[in-house]
């Protein structure tokens, strides 16, 4: 994934927290905001993108969506390397 | 979402079941396979796409990824309309 300006990293907080983060970037003059997530947070990332553009900022469009795989060291499985899927949704206005 | 030929609908089964479904379509001569999911199955849809192209069919590329919102009648919440995010990943070889 690319550099971290205007990036919102999706974790396990409620969707609205991340929606607000995106809106704050756009209100601060950002032309693009990148929403990044991996693993089970991916569906929340899409919720965030959809809520931002459908409910709050109708002039915002999905510019691109990329998917990928990160290798992580899982401590649960005895420090084995495991794969986790990632998504990066770029919104633009 | 569009028509249902060569579409793999992601549910709650193991990732490999859906990977096999995709590979079967491609081995049957399909040029494109669409992976569709909604809600919490979305992260599994990305796992499926990543496993197909990274582990089994390296000549397969992600052609496009679309996200959207479906309105569903949730029986859990007393037949209220709720929104659920959707994804459609088109793979091509």
């Amino acid at each position: 994934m690319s550099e971290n300006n205007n990036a919102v990293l999706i974790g396990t907080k409620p969707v609205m927290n991340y929606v607000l983060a995106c809106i704050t970037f756009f209100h601060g003059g950002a032309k693009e905001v990148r929403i990044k997530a991996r693993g089970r947070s991916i569906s929340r990332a899409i919720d965030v993108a959809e809520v931002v553009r459908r409910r709050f900022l109708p002039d915002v469009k999905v510019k691109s969506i990329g998917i990928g795989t990160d290798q992580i060291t899982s401590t649960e499985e005895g420090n084995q390397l495991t794969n986790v899927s990632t998504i990066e949704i770029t919104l633009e206005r």
Side-chain angles (χ1 to χ4, degrees), chain A residues 30-63:
Chain A
K31 296 286 168 212
E32 285 188 10
V33 173
R34 283 174 302 115
I35 301 168
K36 297 162 113 177
R38 61 188 198 180
R40 290 194 197 165
S41 303
I42 286 172
S43 58
R44 189 173 289 115
I46 296 177
D47 292 344
V48 171
E50 287 291 294
V51 170
V52 167
R53 69 191 184 106
R54 284 176 187 261
R55 204 188 306 177
F56 294 104
L57 301 171
D59 57 333
V60 165
K61 307 264 178 281
V62 175
K63 186 188 179 192

Side-chain angles (χ1 to χ4, degrees), chain A residues 73-89:
Chain A
T73 311
S74 164
T75 46
E76 281 173 30
E77 297 170 32
N79 290 328
Q80 278 197 314
L81 269 183
T82 49
N83 293 317
V84 62
S85 294
T86 63
I87 196 167
E88 181 169 325
I89 304 167

Side-chain angles (χ1 to χ4, degrees), chain A residues 8-33:
Chain A
V8 176
L9 279 128
I10 307 298
T12 55
K13 291 179 192 162
V15 169
M16 278 304 161
N17 293 35
Y18 305 110
V19 169
L20 189 65
C22 292
I23 292 172
T24 306
F25 274 129
F26 280 122
H27 281 179
K31 296 286 168 212
E32 285 188 10
V33 173

